[in-house]
Amino acid sequence: MANERLTGPELDEAALYYHRSPRPGKLEIRATKPLGNQRDLALAYSPGVAAPCLAIRDDPANAALYTGRGNLVAVVTNGTAVLGLGAIGPLAAKPVMEGKAVLFKKFAGIDVFDIEVDETAIERVVDVVAALEPTFGGINLEDFKAPECFEIETRLRERMKIPVFHDDQHGTAIIVAAAIVNGMELAGKKLEDIKIVTSGAGAAAIACLNLMVSLGVKRENIWVTDIDGVVYKGRPTLMDRWKEVYAQETDKRALVEVIGGADVFLGLSVGGILKPEMLLQMAEKPLVMALANPNPEISPELAIATRPDAMICTGRSDYPNQVNNVLCFPYIFRGALDVGATQINEEMKQAAVKAIAALAKEEPPERASQTYAGEADSFGPNYLIPPPLDQRLILRIAPAVARAAMESGVAMAPITDFDAYQDRLNRFVFRSGLTMKPVIAAAKKEAKRVVLADGEDERVLRAAQVILEDGIAKPILIGRPAVVETRLKRFGLKIRPGRDFEIINPEDDPRYRDYVDLYLDKVARKGVTPDAARTIVRTNATVIGALSVVRGDADALITGLEGRFIRHIEHLRGIIGFAPGATDYFALSLLISNRGPLFLTDTYVTPDPNPEELAQMTMMAAAEIRRFGITPRAALLSASNFGSREGVSGAKMRDALAILREKVPDLEVDGEMHGDAALSLLDRSRVMPKSTLKGEANLLVFPDLDAANITLSVLKISTDALHVGPILIGPAKAVHMITPSVTSRGVVNMTAIAAMTAVDK
């Protein structure tokens, strides 16, 4: 199941549900300035808005200072070549354009309006898009069919003074070029000597070849084939001026006739067209780029079986070397917008190629090295290009593109301090909502067995399918098999108990007597009789799950969906016990918002912790945060701001700070302080210029449970943050809790954390 993907009706239903719930579509518009009173309204609109209008009239460059134009891109289509769907029209293409918009926002922080144009005539399309120049800082053309797309982009680039980028062409070309550069280096071949043969001659293929020529490949060494066979001089059918550039003087007419001796096969056509006998004719250590989706021109398994020396790239996420445009387009636009580039030129594209190729050779950091679970994580045949979710892509590509724009003379607002720019990009990485990525990657390394106690709940069942498909863990569900089976069918889920996952039937499990005996060993002297033990082990899913972990039948447990939180904790304390150095459990909650990750403790367990408990929970929370690849910065919160008032909480937090400074002198921590001082370096410096907390705190430690839980609840709703947790810290085993408000996504996230904890333990 780990490498399977949804197909057919299951994929369709899941996609429709995703797009309609909890509200239709994937985008919304939010204000970036307050509109809370009459003064705000006067500044935002009339009469205050006149001032920036006049400033822009006097100097158009001021638009980047006073409007969002400098960070706004249009994703434009006419729906004539949508994904693998063809000419479905502009309205039907809107979900794809919204999808592209959220990728821009997620990976590079770029705002997007999707523009669907109901027009196919080249002149009309050009006129419509060119007229939008005052609104946007850049234009991303998407899903225009060839050869019209070439003409549309060329004319728009001539008319507009902002970047115009047809991603289907150039995004694909940049990633393909990076893979070829690295593949040929591994093969010990020079670009000027290699032979490239293509299957497919559409926009992407021609753009790939154009870019490779600019990097040193010779035109005479490029052979192009399409649905009519070899592109040759004088061919009367399916020719245009862009394809004509690669027409060869030859009497060969089919792919099989020109594949011999090829160093690179570039497939952007249809599945199965590259036959094993053709692959055998290719040169030593060939690079096979079988990019047709979902079925490659040759399957990687067949290619390797035929030519063990071959290097393989596909467009699929379940194989190494995935050629995915998200590897580059957000970051190319990021770099271009950040210097006010008037275009994305050849120098900028080459800079992106080199940055991507170089990143594949870097030693990955601890968590980034786990992005491909079970696959190569260092430069080699199975790691020619970085994976699409590598957080370092923006840190390498955007600065490289920005520098190239400046050096080639198309940057209207050059960056003067690249160290500050790099720091800004670094901060974005941790505010981009990718906080869970290294956790999921770590979990996928070993796919631990995780018990999901509430196995009959719809959210848990939906989560189990995602967990299996993504290879995050091996779920074990507690539930009645007939109920689970019925609900899986009702919800249209394809996984089945016994085939895809194990199930613990509380009404009839062969381990029942062993579980009862183990439970009595743990709690017999805590008021539990044998009769009560037998009943509890039949009816309490938390107890069953905890016993399975202690017995070694599972590696981790997720529980808590039903019933009182503190009652679950009591069961876990009695069965699981405590980790070395821990005297109790504490709850750490993670909120992921546009500000980035924020951890809060103790949000669920300890009503009134003493200084020793506060210090203990802070140290354990800091260790947990480091598992996310994040450096903890802790603020001990109180109604007192560095001694501003007397009170119990202030004194308690000061004592906790003293303990922390003695036990973990390297931890960045300070207190007692107000919440605004914790989250604002400016506010903190006004009252405590010499604070030992240097940046914004990412770990808030509260003086009591009331303060922590109320703050968590308010922030979760008011900031629309994603809540991950509560993450239990202190148990001897990898056991974690969920709450009744959790979503299926929340179950997936907590399962990943539980699996990561199990790996680390």
Side-chain angles (χ1 to χ4, degrees):
M1 279 295 304
N3 283 328
E4 291 184 17
R5 290 296 181 267
L6 287 175
T7 56
E10 294 93 351
L11 175 61
D12 293 344
E13 177 53 37
L16 291 172
Y17 178 83
Y18 175 88
H19 280 79
R20 71 172 179 261
S21 180
R23 56 186 292 186
K26 299 189 285 280
L27 293 174
E28 66 178 2
I29 296 173
R30 292 192 176 191
T32 61
K33 299 294 191 297
L35 287 169
N37 52 47
Q38 186 62 38
R39 184 174 187 277
D40 291 343
L41 185 60
L43 292 172
Y45 199 54
S46 178
V49 75
C53 288
L54 295 175
I56 295 169
R57 179 200 64 185
D58 296 339
D59 183 358
N62 283 329
L65 293 177
Y66 301 125
T67 76
R69 180 178 184 263
N71 194 54
L72 184 62
V73 166
V75 173
V76 184
T77 190
N78 66 355
T80 53
V82 180
L83 294 176
L85 305 175
I88 61 174
L91 183 59
K94 189 172 180 65
V96 180
M97 302 309 114
E98 285 191 355
K100 196 66 176 272
V102 297
L103 294 179
F104 267 109
K105 187 66 174 179
K106 185 78 169 180
F107 293 110
I110 294 172
D111 297 316
V112 166
F113 289 152
D114 59 293
I115 307 290
E116 290 76 34
V117 180
D118 190 8
E119 183 58 70
T120 57
I122 291 175
E123 288 287 354
R124 286 280 294 146
V125 170
V126 170
D127 286 343
V128 168
V129 177
L132 298 173
E133 183 168 351
T135 303
F136 296 102
I139 303 291
N140 184 98
L141 300 175
E142 191 78 11
D143 294 346
F144 285 86
K145 74 181 183 72
E148 289 89 338
C149 61
F150 299 116
E151 190 67 39
I152 289 170
E153 185 189 41
T154 299
R155 294 192 190 185
L156 287 173
R157 284 168 59 91
E158 292 171 352
R159 286 180 58 172
M160 303 181 79
K161 296 181 180 178
I162 58 174
V164 178
F165 187 82
H166 186 205
D167 184 47
D168 299 326
Q169 293 182 57
H170 309 299
T172 303
I174 287 165
I175 305 157
V176 164
I180 292 176
V181 166
N182 279 346
M184 295 304 97
E185 179 179 325
L186 282 174
K189 302 173 182 178
K190 296 180 179 179
L191 293 182
E192 58 265 29
D193 298 331
I194 65 172
K195 176 182 178 180
I196 298 177
V197 175
T198 80
S199 174
I206 297 300
C208 291
L209 298 178
N210 291 343
L211 185 54
M212 289 312 304
V213 168
S214 77
L215 289 168
V217 176
K218 295 179 180 178
R219 289 181 188 271
E220 56 266 30
N221 291 341
I222 295 173
W223 295 76
V224 176
T225 69
D226 60 13
I227 195 171
D228 269 11
V230 174
V231 172
Y232 61 90
K233 289 188 181 298
R235 197 178 83 169
T237 58
L238 292 180
M239 292 297 288
D240 54 60
R241 63 187 177 96
W242 296 278
K243 199 183 296 185
E244 185 68 42
V245 172
Y246 296 101
Q248 293 276 15
E249 192 73 62
T250 180
D251 59 358
K252 296 176 180 178
R253 295 294 182 264
L255 174 62
V256 68
E257 298 177 67
V258 298
I259 194 71
D263 301 284
V264 177
F265 169 79
L266 175 57
L268 287 154
S269 55
V270 294
I273 200 168
L274 182 65
K275 307 301 181 185
E277 55 269 26
M278 298 181 191
L279 182 54
L280 288 170
Q281 297 179 45
M282 292 184 69
E284 181 184 2
K285 296 181 180 178
L287 173 57
V288 177
M289 308 200 74
L291 307 184
N293 238 333
N295 301 311
E297 283 79 1
I298 187 171
S299 75
E301 294 86 355
L302 179 58
I304 291 298
T306 305
R307 287 291 299 267
D309 63 333
M311 297 170 280
I312 315 294
C313 296
T314 72
R316 292 177 49 150
S317 61
D318 49 351
Y319 292 105
N321 294 325
Q322 184 195 6
V323 175
N324 186 324
N325 287 13
V326 79
L327 264 167
C328 70
F329 74 79
Y331 318 121
I332 289 171
F333 269 98
R334 181 74 280 159
L337 293 173
D338 289 341
V339 294
T342 57
Q343 60 178 279
I344 295 175
N345 58 24
E346 205 66 20
E347 292 86 349
M348 295 160 74
K349 289 186 284 184
Q350 290 181 10
V353 170
K354 294 172 184 175
I356 294 169
L359 179 56
K361 301 174 189 175
E362 288 188 30
E363 187 69 27
E366 181 181 358
R367 289 303 189 196
S369 69
Q370 300 167 353
T371 304
Y372 274 144
E375 298 170 2
D377 56 12
S378 58
F379 183 54
N382 286 330
Y383 200 91
L384 297 175
I385 50 178
L389 293 181
D390 193 321
Q391 291 174 310
R392 299 168 297 168
L393 286 162
I394 190 172
L395 305 178
R396 303 295 184 270
I397 298 174
V401 169
R403 286 185 187 277
M406 292 164 57
E407 292 169 1
S408 61
V410 298
M412 297 296 99
I415 293 170
T416 57
D417 186 343
F418 264 90
D419 289 337
Y421 180 57
Q422 195 77 37
D423 181 63
R424 193 178 95 200
L425 295 176
N426 269 297
R427 283 186 279 117
F428 169 77
V429 166
F430 287 104
R431 292 182 175 181
S432 64
L434 296 177
T435 307
M436 287 301 300
K437 185 192 77 68
V439 174
I440 292 172
K444 291 168 71 172
K445 268 293 187 182
E446 294 189 33
K448 293 291 188 179
R449 301 163 300 165
V450 180
V451 175
L452 302 175
D454 303 283
E456 296 177 2
D457 188 276
E458 177 182 358
R459 292 164 291 180
V460 172
L461 294 173
R462 289 189 180 278
Q465 179 150 310
V466 175
I467 292 162
L468 282 162
E469 287 166 356
D470 290 352
I472 293 171
K474 297 174 182 176
I476 302 170
L477 273 59
I478 298 177
R480 294 162 293 177
V483 175
V484 170
E485 186 84 38
T486 298
R487 292 182 179 178
L488 287 170
K489 291 177 181 176
R490 181 194 307 165
F491 304 139
L493 302 174
K494 66 178 181 178
I495 57 174
R496 292 293 179 268
R499 184 192 70 190
D500 301 311
F501 62 89
E502 182 184 342
I503 192 165
I504 298 176
N505 181 3
E507 295 179 343
D508 183 23
D509 190 278
R511 296 164 291 190
Y512 170 70
R513 293 184 183 277
D514 294 334
Y515 278 23
V516 171
D517 290 342
L518 177 59
Y519 185 52
L520 281 169
D521 287 343
K522 294 287 185 179
V523 300
R525 295 183 181 274
K526 298 178 182 177
V528 179
T529 66
D531 284 345
R534 283 188 283 272
T535 300
I536 290 170
V537 175
R538 280 279 190 222
T539 59
N540 192 300
T542 295
V543 170
I544 297 168
L547 292 169
S548 70
V549 172
V550 171
R551 267 176 50 95
D553 298 334
D555 303 302
L557 167 66
I558 298 294
T559 188
L561 191 57
E562 296 181 1
R564 294 174 58 226
F565 186 93
I566 199 64
R567 188 64 179 147
H568 292 292
I569 292 293
E570 290 168 358
H571 286 305
L572 294 176
R573 283 190 184 112
I575 299 170
I576 299 294
F578 303 105
T583 59
D584 201 353
Y585 296 171
F586 305 104
L588 177 67
S589 287
L590 165 61
L591 291 177
I592 304 175
S593 70
N594 290 335
R595 285 183 60 93
L598 182 65
F599 295 85
L600 300 85
T601 197
D602 172 11
T603 51
Y604 281 91
V605 181
T606 310
D608 188 17
N610 60 41
E612 290 74 19
E613 289 171 325
L614 286 165
Q616 186 179 134
M617 73 171 68
T618 303
M619 288 186 287
M620 290 193 293
E624 192 70 31
I625 292 169
R626 290 189 183 98
R627 286 195 176 111
F628 286 77
I630 298 171
T631 301
R633 298 187 299 276
L636 307 181
L637 302 185
S638 169
S640 172
N641 202 25
F642 298 104
S644 64
R645 62 184 295 172
E646 296 298 323
V648 175
S649 74
K652 184 165 64 172
M653 301 313 258
R654 285 194 292 274
D655 290 344
L657 179 64
I659 296 170
L660 287 167
R661 284 182 170 163
E662 178 184 350
K663 291 189 174 182
V664 282
D666 293 336
L667 177 64
E668 192 174 330
V669 59
D670 207 350
E672 79 287 8
M673 69 178 75
H674 288 171
D676 53 358
L679 299 178
S680 169
L681 178 60
L682 178 61
D683 287 352
R684 187 165 64 251
S685 64
R686 287 171 177 162
V687 294
M688 183 53 63
K690 295 184 179 180
S691 172
T692 51
L693 183 62
K694 301 304 180 185
E696 293 181 9
N698 54 24
L699 170 59
L700 304 183
V701 182
F702 293 87
D704 57 48
L705 180 59
D706 285 346
N709 191 268
I710 291 169
T711 302
L712 170 66
S713 302
V714 171
L715 284 179
K716 182 169 64 173
I717 299 300
S718 63
T719 65
D720 196 25
L722 171 65
H723 178 215
V724 180
I727 304 165
L728 280 189
I729 50 180
K733 300 285 186 179
V735 296
H736 291 293
M737 302 285 286
I738 49 180
T739 60
S741 62
V742 75
T743 63
S744 59
R745 179 186 179 190
V747 177
V748 172
N749 284 335
M750 286 308 301
T751 301
I753 289 174
M756 176 187 70
T757 306
V759 169
D760 290 347
K761 283 184 181 295

